[in-house]
């Protein structure tokens, strides 16, 4: 049972539960993250323009990296998620989708844009926060570090421009959702 929890989407769920538990239970982290929960930006048209433009930028970069330059590997991403190692039942497919397309974007946006980018922006300069958080995000996505770095830049810029975590979280969920669906087909 422990081995299953440390593989693929199950590991993502355990990791996210741990991080979200710390974020909710540890008061300094909770206070630090509180200002970024601005839902009013979801009423603004420009927020959705940012999301669409961001999606198109990420799609274009991924396409160039995979199709033209052959620098990154879509297969490596599947191996990193250990997607092929569990039975393809309806339940396991849903667990995979929920963990990759919903839970992981929430955790990663809170961690990379909320905590890391937010801390570095307050401590140093906005460009330091944006670039360092994007580079760390990219380096931790082994199969596609260049695309993930660009994604991190796009997510951080959207976060900075809107002063809310929700638009970058929505874009991250849309992207991961699309990638999750393509893994099955």
């Amino acid at each position: 049972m422990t081995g299953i929890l440390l593989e693929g989407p199950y590991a993502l769920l355990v990791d996210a539960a741990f991080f979200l538990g710390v974020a909710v239970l540890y008061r300094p982290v909770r206070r630090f993250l509180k200002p970024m929960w601005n839902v009013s930006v979801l009423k603004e048209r420009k927020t959705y323009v940012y999301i669409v433009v961001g999606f198109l930028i990420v799609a274009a970069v991924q396409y160039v990296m995979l199709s033209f330059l052959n620098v990154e590997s879509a297969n490596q991403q599947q191996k990193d998620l250990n997607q092929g190692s569990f039975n393809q039942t309806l339940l396991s497919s849903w667990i995979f989708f929920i963990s990759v397309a919903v839970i992981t974007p929430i955790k990663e946006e809170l961690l990379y844009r909320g905590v890391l980018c937010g801390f570095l922006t307050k401590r140093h300069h906005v460009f330091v926060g944006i670039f360092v958080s994007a580079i760390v995000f990219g380096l931790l996505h082994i199969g596609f570090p260049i695309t993930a770095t660009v994604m991190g830049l796009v997510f951080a810029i959207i976060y900075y421009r809107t002063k809310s975590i929700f638009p970058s979280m929505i874009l991250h969920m849309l992207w991961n959702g699309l990638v999750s669906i393509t893994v099955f087909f």
Side-chain angles (χ1 to χ4, degrees):
M1 181 68 173
T2 304
I4 292 173
L5 290 178
L6 299 176
E7 292 182 359
Y10 304 107
L12 295 175
L13 292 173
V14 170
D15 174 50
F18 176 76
F19 174 77
L20 295 174
V22 168
V24 169
L25 297 175
Y26 189 53
R27 186 177 300 183
V29 174
R30 191 172 62 234
R31 283 185 183 160
F32 186 78
L33 293 174
K34 188 176 182 180
M36 65 191 65
W37 294 100
N38 177 10
V39 294
S40 66
V41 300
L42 298 177
K43 296 177 184 175
E44 298 176 20
R45 184 176 302 184
K46 70 179 181 177
T47 299
Y48 298 98
V49 171
Y50 291 147
I51 292 171
V52 169
V53 170
F55 189 90
L56 293 174
I57 290 169
V58 171
V61 169
Q62 176 104 49
Y63 182 72
V64 167
M65 290 298 135
L66 292 176
S67 300
F68 291 116
L69 301 178
N70 292 323
V71 201
E72 298 181 334
S73 168
N75 292 333
Q76 180 64 42
Q77 182 180 11
Q78 289 179 8
K79 288 178 189 172
D80 292 344
L81 292 173
N82 222 358
Q83 192 271 333
S85 69
F86 62 97
N87 295 333
Q88 289 296 322
T89 65
L90 184 59
L91 177 62
S92 64
S93 297
W94 274 107
I95 290 171
F96 178 81
F97 182 80
I98 296 298
S99 66
V100 172
V102 179
I103 305 297
T104 297
I106 292 170
K107 184 213 61 169
E108 287 184 348
E109 289 310 305
L110 288 172
L111 181 61
Y112 297 110
R113 261 54 70 189
V115 174
L116 184 59
C117 183
F119 174 78
L120 292 172
T121 297
K122 285 183 180 183
R123 187 82 175 200
H124 300 285
H125 190 271
V126 66
F127 294 117
V128 173
I130 288 173
F131 284 107
V132 171
S133 67
I135 290 169
V136 170
F137 183 76
L139 290 174
L140 293 175
H141 287 77
I142 299 164
F144 52 106
I146 298 168
T147 301
T149 300
V150 171
M151 288 171 67
L153 286 171
V154 168
F155 296 157
I157 290 168
I158 290 173
Y159 166 66
Y160 174 72
R161 299 281 302 175
T162 62
K163 305 292 186 247
S164 174
I165 200 75
F166 287 113
S168 60
M169 204 177 279
I170 290 168
L171 175 54
H172 200 155
M173 287 178 177
L174 289 171
W175 184 259
N176 282 17
L178 176 67
V179 169
S180 298
I181 290 169
T182 60
V183 164
F184 291 114
F185 302 105

